[in-house]
Amino acid sequence: MLNGTVDIMSEDEQLSHYEGTEKLLEVWFRPIERGEKGDGGGASDLRSIPSEELKKLMTLVKCEIVSVLKDEHQTAYILSESSMFVSKTRFILKTCGTTLLLEALQELFRLAKEHCNYEVEDMFYSRKNFLRPELQHNPHKTFEKEVERLDKIFDCGAAYVLGRMNGECWYLYTLDRMNVVQQPDQTLEILMTQLDEDVMKHFEDTEGKKGSDVTKASGIDKILPAAKIDEQLFKPCGYSMNGLLPNNQYVTIHVTPQAEFSYVSFETNVEKEDFSGLVQKVIETFKPGRFVMTLFANEFAKCGSSFQALKETFLVSYKRQDKQYSQFKNYNLTFGNYIKER
């Protein structure tokens, strides 16, 4: 690491093609009832899993921990490929490139049982369609292969695709059971491509730059100004940011700036009744040519219906190609696909 800049991949590897699109895993855990499956004896907090065990877990995924940020509710890790968040009962892993995210599942469950006496309460795996799926390793070459792998682990899985099978789409695998996370839970993702070249210049030629300066110059610090931020620049280009907010809330941003395959992801679980203002800030900051957006919300979420919480105020500059609403047992989901008006 040099001046907050991390050298993870060679310049040739970065410039030929880099898949910015992430694979996203979110798992909620609950204590195992005593007498059912063994006591386990561990502390009921995922943060009690030793850091060395988490490092080993990341080797299965083919990435590494670069930086750590903590508050009283959660620990945020910047990875060589995206981010990880660990709180008392929630584990989030988000990895890009050709990482093998699903290789972490069985070991994660073992660690949660051994150190926390936990079992899975609910689970979500999702991703946008890849730009170059043929460069991925199995099972990530196709969503069908990912579903096959997940079905071997879970006996109550449900797989979905939203959007256009011959265009921009978004895949989801979740559990089809009545377990309910007994707290407000909402997740907004904005996955952007065809980014503005002037905006992307902030994240190129990172040698000698400071991550904090790039955060301010790009306007990222103004999107959720209350966030406590940890950022990293990568050589020769690229940027990752984790932000922690009160009450177990977070924000994470990842930037792949190369013009041929530019990509930016924004994700947060902040509680809002209306997300349209936040969405407006994000797209005004990065100026994407097109973007896919999803909002998950459970019955305790402040926003209520995800469909009503996304008012599409940006349609003066963007054209909607698709918008879909789905109702699951415990969550509702709104998906949208948008392209800039020319």
Side-chain angles (χ1 to χ4, degrees):
M1 188 184 303
L2 176 64
N3 294 327
T5 304
V6 182
D7 189 1
I8 296 298
M9 298 181 67
S10 72
E11 187 167 357
D12 287 343
E13 288 175 314
Q14 287 277 15
L15 293 177
S16 59
H17 179 79
Y18 188 78
E19 188 68 61
T21 301
E22 298 102 344
K23 313 162 182 87
L24 175 59
L25 173 71
E26 181 171 327
V27 186
W28 290 82
F29 291 89
R30 64 182 178 190
I32 298 172
E33 293 184 16
R34 291 182 178 273
E36 282 192 5
K37 301 179 183 178
D39 291 342
S44 294
D45 194 323
L46 291 171
R47 291 169 295 176
S48 67
I49 297 174
S51 59
E52 289 302 314
E53 297 281 17
L54 292 177
K55 290 178 182 178
K56 292 178 184 177
L57 186 68
M58 292 304 98
T59 63
L60 297 176
V61 180
K62 306 301 182 185
C63 65
E64 60 188 72
I65 294 171
V66 171
S67 184
V68 183
L69 178 68
K70 298 180 180 180
D71 68 10
E72 62 180 313
H73 297 290
Q74 58 187 323
T75 304
Y77 300 83
I78 290 181
L79 306 176
S80 54
E81 277 81 17
S82 296
S83 293
M84 175 171 63
F85 292 84
V86 183
S87 56
K88 184 176 181 179
T89 59
R90 184 193 66 210
F91 178 90
I92 297 172
L93 179 58
K94 187 170 194 170
T95 67
C96 55
T98 56
T99 48
L100 298 167
L101 183 145
L102 295 182
E103 296 298 323
L105 278 176
Q106 297 282 35
E107 180 64 8
L108 171 63
F109 299 160
R110 184 191 70 79
L111 292 172
K113 183 177 181 181
E114 178 180 330
H115 294 280
C116 313
N117 194 35
Y118 275 171
E119 63 182 358
V120 174
E121 180 173 46
D122 212 343
M123 171 269 185
F124 307 87
Y125 172 72
S126 64
R127 65 171 176 85
K128 182 184 173 293
N129 56 304
F130 294 128
L131 185 63
R132 296 284 303 277
E134 73 277 8
L135 299 181
Q136 296 293 315
H137 304 295
N138 283 325
H140 296 294
K141 284 185 180 291
T142 69
F143 184 56
E144 290 77 12
K145 289 183 180 295
E146 292 173 322
V147 171
E148 287 177 13
R149 175 67 63 87
L150 289 162
D151 278 345
K152 291 178 181 178
I153 301 172
F154 301 101
D155 61 3
C156 55
Y160 304 88
V161 58
L162 287 84
R164 303 185 182 190
M165 294 293 291
N166 61 344
E168 297 294 293
C169 62
W170 183 82
Y171 302 106
L172 170 68
Y173 185 99
T174 188
L175 302 185
D176 184 29
R177 59 191 189 195
M178 291 304 297
N179 296 335
V180 177
V181 175
Q182 297 287 336
Q183 57 184 286
D185 185 32
Q186 58 286 306
T187 302
L188 171 70
E189 266 199 297
I190 307 174
L191 310 177
M192 296 165 272
T193 54
Q194 301 174 13
L195 280 305
D196 183 270
E197 291 184 5
D198 289 335
V199 174
M200 290 299 98
K201 287 178 181 177
H202 292 294
F203 311 100
E204 298 172 345
D205 302 322
T206 57
E207 186 73 46
K209 291 182 180 180
K210 291 184 178 179
S212 57
D213 291 341
V214 171
T215 299
K216 292 178 182 178
S218 63
I220 286 174
D221 62 322
K222 297 179 178 65
I223 296 175
L224 287 169
K228 179 183 178 182
I229 290 176
D230 179 23
E231 66 269 282
Q232 293 289 334
L233 293 171
F234 295 87
K235 292 168 57 179
C237 58
Y239 170 94
S240 288
M241 177 275 254
N242 289 336
L244 298 183
L245 296 114
N247 301 319
N248 208 16
Q249 298 177 105
Y250 68 88
V251 58
T252 185
I253 295 172
H254 301 280
V255 180
T256 300
Q258 297 94 314
E260 299 84 358
F261 41 87
S262 63
Y263 175 87
V264 175
S265 67
F266 173 91
E267 178 188 344
T268 186
N269 70 333
V270 294
E271 292 187 56
K272 289 184 174 292
E273 291 184 3
D274 182 355
F275 283 88
S276 55
L278 177 57
V279 173
Q280 193 75 40
K281 276 188 180 181
V282 173
I283 60 177
E284 286 176 355
T285 299
F286 294 106
K287 300 178 174 62
R290 64 188 311 149
F291 65 95
V292 163
M293 180 169 58
T294 62
L295 177 60
F296 260 111
N298 70 358
E299 62 180 288
F300 303 101
K302 188 175 183 179
C303 65
S305 166
S306 60
F307 193 87
Q308 296 298 323
L310 292 174
K311 293 186 171 58
E312 300 183 320
T313 56
F314 48 80
L315 288 183
V316 294
S317 303
Y318 290 84
K319 179 173 67 174
R320 183 202 310 123
Q321 292 196 313
D322 305 286
K323 188 175 183 180
Q324 296 167 263
Y325 176 80
S326 300
Q327 180 69 56
F328 305 105
K329 287 183 178 177
N330 306 313
Y331 284 81
N332 61 83
L333 165 68
T334 296
F335 163 91
N337 175 24
Y338 305 90
I339 187 167
K340 196 174 186 66
E341 292 277 15
R342 300 298 181 186

